[in-house]
Structures are given as C-alpha cells and as structure tokens.
Amino acid sequence: QVQLVESGGGLVQPGGSLTLSCAASGSIVSINSMAWYRQAPGKERDLVAHIANDGTTNYAGSLKGRFTISSDKAKKTVYLQMNSLKPEDTAVYYCKMAVTLTYYDSQFWGRGTLVTVSS
C-alpha cells in the first residue's frame, strides 16, 4: 500500500511564502515522476508543476518564476516552494506520484493540503 502525505499548508498573507512537502511511503521500487496540482473552490484540479525522473521540470505558465518544484528521491519526497503568493493561489494542493511497484506501475494522489492566501 502506497500513501502520499502532504504538509506545509496554512494561512499566509499576500506576498508571503510557503513550502509544501509530500512524502511517499510503501513498497515503491522507483518513483518515475512527481507533480503538484491544485483545486480552488468551484474549479477543476489543475497542474501546478511537474518533475520528471531526470529532473526536468515544467510549470503552469502563470506560475513559473514564483513556484519551484524539487524532489529528494532518497526521501521519496517532493517539495513545492511558493513565493509572492496571491489570493488567487488559494486552493487545496495535491501531490501525485507515478511509481513502479513490484509487479506494475501506478499513480497515487495525496489527500491535499489547504493553502489560504489572505490578509
């Protein structure tokens, strides 16, 4: 059984910063890619940032330059550094990992962590 647990969300003022973490546990042979998504109230879940196995990153166009995704494969953890936060960044942030298990590949989601940007 694989579990992803996000942490680091909370209330932050506009212009502030937060770093989210997502740690995986379970019988993972390898992690092939990691990503962060977010879902604002009443909206669909959208990709925020993605990091491939070779370290290649890509971001939603409007977020590049403010958000940075990174990972620590040894710790099975992905991070999202968020700077210059705006009220429109308020959302539940989810991590997703594509992994190789003993006999097959699969994808898993975390339960999400709430980020609220407000004064």
Side-chain angles (χ1 to χ4, degrees):
Q1 184 74 9
V2 174
Q3 287 189 322
L4 305 185
V5 179
E6 299 102 336
S7 60
L11 175 64
V12 62
Q13 291 188 342
S17 299
L18 278 178
T19 299
L20 306 182
S21 301
C22 172
S25 62
S27 301
I28 298 171
V29 174
S30 64
I31 298 176
N32 304 316
S33 69
M34 303 175 180
W36 287 97
Y37 287 73
R38 69 183 183 183
Q39 187 167 19
K43 296 188 177 181
E44 295 184 350
R45 189 175 299 187
D46 294 323
L47 176 68
V48 172
H50 176 274
I51 183 165
N53 193 38
D54 64 358
T56 302
T57 59
N58 63 75
Y59 298 87
S62 61
L63 301 177
K64 191 172 184 178
R66 294 196 298 123
F67 289 16
T68 302
I69 188 171
S70 61
S71 66
D72 185 331
K73 290 182 181 179
K75 294 183 178 180
K76 301 178 184 176
T77 300
V78 61
Y79 306 96
L80 184 68
Q81 171 70 41
M82 305 184 292
N83 299 323
S84 302
L85 284 162
K86 305 175 181 181
E88 51 263 43
D89 294 318
T90 295
V92 178
Y93 285 72
Y94 299 88
C95 65
K96 185 176 83 169
M97 295 189 189
V99 304
T100 297
L101 305 177
T102 303
Y103 299 111
Y104 57 93
D105 293 346
S106 189
Q107 296 186 13
F108 296 89
W109 289 88
R111 291 189 175 186
T113 185
L114 177 63
V115 172
T116 303
V117 184
S118 176
S119 55

